[in-house]
Amino acid sequence: MFSKRLFDTDDEFDAFPASVSTLSFDFTPVKADNLMSVMTPNIKRSLFPDEDEDSGLGMEDHVTCTPGLQKSTKRQHEDDDNYRCSKRPKVCTDIKAVVTKLEENDDFIADGSRLQTLPTVTGKHSDLKSITPQTLAGVINGDYDDVINDYKIIDCRYPYEFEGGHIRGAENMYLHETILTLLRQPTKDKQIVIFHCEFSSERGPKMLRFLRSKDRELNKENYPSLNFPEIYLLDGGYKAFFNEQPVLCDPVSYRPMLHSDHSEDLRHFRVKSKSWTAGEKRRYARKAMRF
């Protein structure tokens, strides 16, 4: 009985089982050149699998297959591994970079993709970007058409106020559910939204923050992306705009919220606007009780 190890120098095969790496012969050893001639068909198949067989031994040099097939498969596995390894760190790095950018420079829009389009002023609400009536007039008159593709003016006053005079092109949205419809509308690149109420003290800022909150919630899996990353508050509200730019109001009039002829309307719309908030609180309370 004679035992001969086929591969003495290749480290890659040192771990092979004895049944594969050692062959037993019951006859006189033959020269290496004639080794193939004395191998049985089973031994040949074990060491040199056909195209449709995978021995699992990693012997690429001895496997006859479609050119490039095995190499491309191996590359694919390597690419997949590289993808899994680099994907998350890259995203995390981007998020950290955006957060740092927003912290260091307040002139970026909320997704950190570019600088804000309009000049801002320090208003009553330090967490919001405020613009002057003059700047809004410039937007309406087309002074920023080279840097803005579209704009929306959201008037958060009650309907009787809106009907008594509003900024040209403004939309009346005083209910939370109406604000939510904005997130169902198609968005455009370089689109801005401008909120206001009578003085931009309460209703306008509240609705602006509500939209931003729901926008973040909608895009939480894709932070810091937003449907509306560039939002402004009109400093001084409709009252200030009317005083400075009456020709851009339709009709050229101003009806205050506390108008004596609309006390009933005021009560009605206050209840209507607060009913949504109360409903939301009840829904959140029910959700909390389930946990």
Side-chain angles (χ1 to χ4, degrees), residues 19-286:
S19 60
V20 176
S21 59
T22 303
L23 298 178
S24 298
F25 301 92
D26 293 325
F27 45 81
T28 304
V30 297
K31 294 181 179 179
D33 293 339
N34 299 323
L35 182 59
M36 291 292 293
S37 63
V38 299
M39 285 187 183
T40 66
N42 287 338
I43 294 175
K44 287 182 181 179
R45 275 196 296 271
S46 297
L47 293 177
F48 311 114
D50 294 332
E51 288 183 23
D52 57 347
E53 293 184 78
D54 183 5
S55 66
L57 299 178
M59 299 170 65
E60 291 92 348
D61 292 339
H62 300 288
V63 178
T64 302
C65 62
T66 304
L69 176 61
Q70 227 175 352
K71 183 175 285 188
S72 63
T73 303
K74 184 177 181 181
R75 271 203 207 105
Q76 184 62 47
H77 290 316
E78 290 175 352
D79 291 344
D80 290 344
D81 290 338
N82 291 336
Y83 177 79
R84 283 192 292 269
C85 291
S86 62
K87 180 81 171 176
R88 286 196 189 91
K90 185 177 186 300
V91 172
C92 293
T93 301
D94 289 345
I95 293 176
K96 287 180 66 177
V98 170
V99 171
T100 301
K101 184 190 297 183
L102 293 174
E103 288 177 347
E104 294 178 349
N105 191 341
D106 194 45
D107 292 334
F108 280 97
I109 61 175
D111 63 359
S113 62
R114 57 182 171 81
L115 293 172
Q116 63 192 24
T117 306
L118 305 180
T120 58
V121 295
T122 303
K124 299 176 183 177
H125 303 271
S126 58
D127 61 314
L128 306 179
K129 298 181 184 297
S130 298
I131 61 171
T132 65
Q134 293 92 335
T135 298
L136 179 53
V139 172
I140 298 171
N141 291 327
D143 297 345
Y144 296 92
D145 284 356
D146 59 328
V147 290
I148 293 175
N149 290 331
D150 190 30
Y151 69 90
K152 290 179 179 293
I153 302 172
I154 308 300
D155 188 332
C156 302
R157 296 177 300 155
Y158 298 137
Y160 68 90
E161 299 174 81
F162 184 82
E163 293 166 3
H166 58 267
I167 299 171
R168 185 189 301 170
E171 302 174 55
N172 189 206
M173 295 186 176
Y174 70 99
L175 296 173
H176 290 82
E177 52 262 44
T178 311
I179 295 295
L180 288 176
T181 63
L182 291 171
L183 295 174
R184 303 188 197 108
Q185 299 175 10
T187 59
K188 302 176 182 178
D189 184 38
K190 295 184 179 179
Q191 179 182 41
I192 67 172
V193 184
I194 302 158
F195 280 79
H196 76 86
C197 53
E198 184 173 4
F199 306 108
S200 289
S201 295
E202 184 177 348
R203 292 173 288 175
K206 183 187 298 183
M207 290 301 188
L208 188 160
R209 294 187 182 102
F210 176 75
L211 176 63
R212 175 54 53 78
S213 173
K214 292 300 180 180
D215 202 350
R216 283 291 186 206
E217 184 178 319
L218 178 67
N219 291 282
K220 63 184 179 181
E221 301 298 330
N222 198 28
Y223 183 88
S225 296
L226 289 165
N227 286 26
F228 299 101
E230 190 167 6
I231 306 179
Y232 299 95
L233 181 70
L234 174 61
D235 190 47
Y238 180 75
K239 185 178 187 299
F241 188 87
F242 176 75
N243 289 337
E244 296 185 27
Q245 308 288 337
V247 295
L248 294 177
C249 297
D250 185 25
V252 182
S253 178
Y254 165 42
R255 182 178 294 165
M257 183 182 73
L258 299 177
H259 195 287
S260 58
D261 294 341
H262 295 275
S263 55
E264 286 298 322
D265 290 331
L266 175 59
R267 279 192 289 270
H268 169 75
F269 290 116
R270 266 184 171 166
V271 170
K272 191 173 182 179
S273 63
K274 290 180 179 179
S275 63
W276 190 92
T277 305
E280 278 290 284
K281 288 180 179 178
R282 285 194 293 271
R283 279 191 287 273
Y284 279 123
R286 284 197 293 270

